[in-house]
Amino acid sequence: MVIAKQPTSFLPPIAKIASYTSTQLLDALTYLKLLYNPEVRGSHRIRSNPAHSRGSWPIDVERHRSDEDDGVHLIRSDTFERSYTIRWLIALVARMEDLQGSIDNTQIESASTFHGSVHPEILIQQAASLLALCSGVSAAGTVERVFSFDSGKIGRIDVRVTDIPIENQDYRSVGAQTWGGACVLAEMIVEHPEQFGLDFRIGEDYTCGKRPLRVLELGAGTGLVGLTATKVLVASSAERDFRTTVVATDFYPSVLDNLRANIDRNFPGDLSDGTVTITSHFLDWSKLPTMSSVPELLSEPFDVVFGADIVYEADHAAWIKKCLERLLHHPCTSAACPFVAIFHLVIPLRPTHLLEAGSIETTFRWTSDIPRGDHPELAILSRETILCEAYRDRDAKRDRDVVEYLYYRIGWSQ
């Protein structure tokens, strides 16, 4: 569905709501959801292209911000249109409640006062949710999101996060919002947890003893990736016999506050009797490498490190490498321990940040370039290209609006 009109023009007139079918009213609610609770751009994978060796980035994709996107932003920020939407939703809920009170469930679909196959309760629930968005915190730029990921092994994983406004256009607070790279990485983790070191079969032999598995997220932002990994671990905790610690880190104060709130929202109580724990922590990439001592929570190395959409300055890649040299677990010396610590990084190829994206391959050498016998160093183990639809419901105008990501696996050379 393309948003081309304001709510005052698109929605059925308030006085005539009763004359519209339930299907038409559901379409109107879908329109409002797209307008006031927009999906994360570039979060729906099309396909991926494995690229385990160096080479030029294989796909040249046209990316643009269309005039249509600008128009939607103007509509969304129009206070008059939002006020009208609130009044319309209140009228719809009142009408549906009256209908429910006048006829029973077996009569709804055949009643002359209600045409269509959608139950009034469904319309009431969706309208009430939109009312909360339009009249509550979302009116100030805060958006509540629910991400659902499916896995054949562990079932569905639901994660709830809140996006908050970026403070005074300060780029350091961009983690206040959920970005497409985090959605892509979270989905991949749920689909194949074993490929990210979260294998249900990891045990004593794999982790060189009974020490906890340690998972770190750099630049966690709203925490979607770390929260998803934690929920995967909790869902599989009955099949594992060791403890796991997840630490989600960020730098900006308001982002950290929101990250803590999102953790509490998803895990209000103890997690699987303490087998899996998640916490947030402050981390300044530029200062950690030179600190004489690090906070206790970061003092032990990590087995799995995640990063999604975290390279948007030229210095970031170098800072991240220095942090990983201190935080990523070094290879085990025992031949009986096949577990390899990996940094999983997903970055978008934005036209405005190609230099920053390219800094990954100028900062980290490819593992094939490092002679055997040399001192181990952090290197690129593999790279994969991932293509995503900019929006789930594409039309002819958006047919070429595609977002491209690079997924790197970085670890210690052998």
Side-chain angles (χ1 to χ4, degrees):
M1 178 183 292
V2 176
I3 299 173
K5 295 182 178 180
Q6 301 93 334
T8 49
S9 301
F10 182 88
L11 297 174
I14 291 177
K16 298 182 179 180
I17 285 179
S19 65
Y20 283 76
T21 68
S22 61
T23 303
Q24 290 172 321
L25 295 175
L26 185 62
D27 287 342
L29 291 172
T30 300
Y31 156 86
L32 291 176
K33 183 177 180 181
L34 290 174
L35 177 59
Y36 291 113
N37 191 22
E39 61 182 316
V40 177
R41 186 178 187 275
S43 58
H44 307 294
R45 283 184 294 162
I46 300 172
R47 59 188 175 89
S48 60
N49 296 326
H52 297 290
S53 60
R54 76 185 73 220
S56 61
W57 294 331
I59 297 175
D60 181 17
V61 180
E62 176 185 344
R63 305 169 186 82
H64 62 278
R65 179 181 176 89
S66 66
D67 292 339
E68 179 184 310
D69 291 331
D70 293 331
V72 170
H73 178 74
L74 290 174
I75 296 173
R76 187 177 297 131
S77 59
D78 190 313
T79 55
F80 176 79
E81 292 295 335
R82 186 183 292 269
S83 296
Y84 178 82
T85 297
I86 292 172
R87 288 190 286 118
W88 188 88
L89 288 168
I90 291 173
L92 175 63
V93 170
R95 173 58 188 157
M96 292 299 102
E97 288 178 342
D98 287 345
L99 180 62
Q100 278 193 308
S102 62
I103 55 178
D104 61 41
N105 290 340
T106 60
Q107 295 174 309
I108 284 177
E109 291 190 16
S110 60
S112 59
T113 56
F114 192 77
H115 306 284
S117 57
V118 182
H119 195 286
E121 184 61 31
I122 295 176
L123 298 177
I124 291 173
Q125 291 176 356
Q126 293 201 18
S129 177
L130 283 164
L131 267 173
L133 285 170
C134 292
S135 59
V137 291
S138 290
T142 300
V143 177
E144 305 282 345
R145 299 188 184 279
V146 179
F147 295 93
S148 295
F149 308 106
D150 290 315
S151 168
K153 292 183 178 179
I154 56 178
R156 192 174 77 174
I157 298 294
D158 292 328
V159 181
R160 297 177 178 273
V161 301
T162 297
D163 288 7
I164 60 176
I166 295 176
E167 289 192 4
N168 300 318
Q169 301 303 311
D170 188 339
Y171 72 91
R172 294 176 301 171
S173 68
V174 294
Q177 316 241 314
T178 304
W179 298 89
C183 302
V184 170
L185 184 53
E187 183 179 51
M188 293 166 64
I189 290 169
V190 174
E191 290 180 354
H192 299 287
E194 71 283 355
Q195 295 181 10
F196 295 90
L198 308 180
D199 192 346
F200 313 147
R201 295 178 292 105
I202 290 177
E204 183 172 358
D205 291 340
Y206 280 71
T207 55
C208 299
K210 287 289 186 180
R211 65 174 178 81
L213 178 72
R214 288 174 56 78
V215 179
L216 173 70
E217 183 179 6
L218 297 175
T222 61
L224 176 61
V225 174
L227 290 167
T228 301
T230 304
K231 292 209 169 189
V232 168
L233 289 162
V234 170
S236 62
S237 60
E239 302 180 40
R240 302 180 304 112
D241 59 354
F242 65 98
R243 300 171 66 87
T244 301
T245 299
V246 180
V247 182
T249 63
D250 213 294
F251 168 81
Y252 204 79
S254 62
V255 175
L256 267 174
D257 290 342
N258 187 53
L259 174 59
R260 295 187 190 101
N262 283 336
I263 291 174
D264 292 341
R265 183 175 294 107
N266 284 272
F267 301 105
D270 293 335
L271 307 184
S272 58
D273 297 325
T275 302
V276 183
T277 61
I278 179 172
T279 188
S280 60
H281 202 282
F282 171 84
L283 177 57
D284 185 339
W285 302 341
S286 67
K287 295 181 179 179
L288 178 73
T290 59
M291 294 173 61
S292 58
S293 62
V294 298
E296 182 178 356
L297 200 60
L298 304 176
S299 61
E300 295 292 330
F302 290 87
D303 306 288
V304 182
V305 180
F306 295 116
D309 214 336
I310 60 174
V311 179
Y312 48 88
E313 276 195 15
D315 292 332
H316 283 173
W319 290 349
I320 289 169
K321 183 178 182 181
K322 290 294 185 182
C323 288
L324 291 173
E325 287 172 347
R326 194 160 188 173
L327 297 174
L328 188 66
H329 208 287
H330 283 257
C332 296
T333 56
S334 171
C337 177
F339 189 85
V340 178
I342 298 292
F343 171 43
H344 302 273
L345 174 66
V346 172
I347 60 171
L349 290 181
R350 295 191 180 96
T352 55
H353 289 79
L354 290 179
L355 178 63
E356 291 78 2
S359 67
I360 296 298
E361 296 190 27
T362 59
T363 301
F364 296 90
R365 291 200 287 175
W366 284 85
T367 187
S368 57
D369 283 345
I370 302 172
R372 286 188 174 275
D374 278 17
H375 185 75
E377 67 174 85
L378 289 168
I380 299 171
L381 307 180
S382 66
R383 184 188 70 201
E384 182 177 334
T385 302
I386 299 172
L387 297 182
C388 291
E389 297 177 351
Y391 301 93
R392 184 182 297 274
D393 296 319
R394 293 187 300 165
D395 56 28
K397 289 181 64 178
R398 294 178 182 264
D399 189 51
R400 296 192 64 192
D401 196 3
V402 175
V403 179
E404 183 179 1
Y405 298 93
L406 294 179
Y407 164 45
Y408 289 97
R409 294 174 65 255
I410 294 172
W412 293 103
S413 62
Q414 300 298 315

